[in-house]
Amino acid sequence: MPIFRRIKIQATVETPALLLPEEEIAGKLDALKERLQQLELSIVSLQSSEPTTTAPPETSDEDPWSVGGRPTE
């Protein structure tokens, strides 16, 4: 006879970065909530954040094959 265990799974959902006007953000969040509820998942907390921007690579004067990080011909 199989042994049953009661478990709870907690997961984080992340979408790719989206560029949206302010008035469309609430609609995207509502759509996500609906999809999760269709999967019979509970929403414990919801948080949106702006993705961090990466700094451009530092240029080196030692590289004779590029100017400002761009290849030269």
Side-chain angles (χ1 to χ4, degrees):
M1 177 170 214
I3 298 174
F4 292 91
R5 293 176 36 204
R6 184 180 179 123
I7 65 166
K8 181 189 280 188
I9 299 172
Q10 182 177 0
T12 300
V13 176
E14 183 174 292
T15 65
L18 302 169
L19 184 60
L20 297 171
E22 191 72 30
E23 56 272 2
E24 288 185 27
I25 294 173
K28 287 289 185 184
L29 292 174
D30 289 340
L32 175 61
K33 288 179 188 178
E34 286 179 24
R35 289 183 196 156
L36 292 173
Q37 288 172 349
Q38 289 172 356
L39 296 171
E40 298 180 2
L41 298 174
S42 300
I43 299 171
V44 176
S45 66
L46 189 61
Q47 175 184 358
S48 64
S49 63
E50 293 187 23
T52 57
T53 57
T54 56
E58 293 183 24
T59 59
S60 172
D61 294 334
E62 298 174 9
D63 184 4
W65 302 106
S66 68
V67 175
R70 295 183 198 99
T72 59
E73 294 182 16

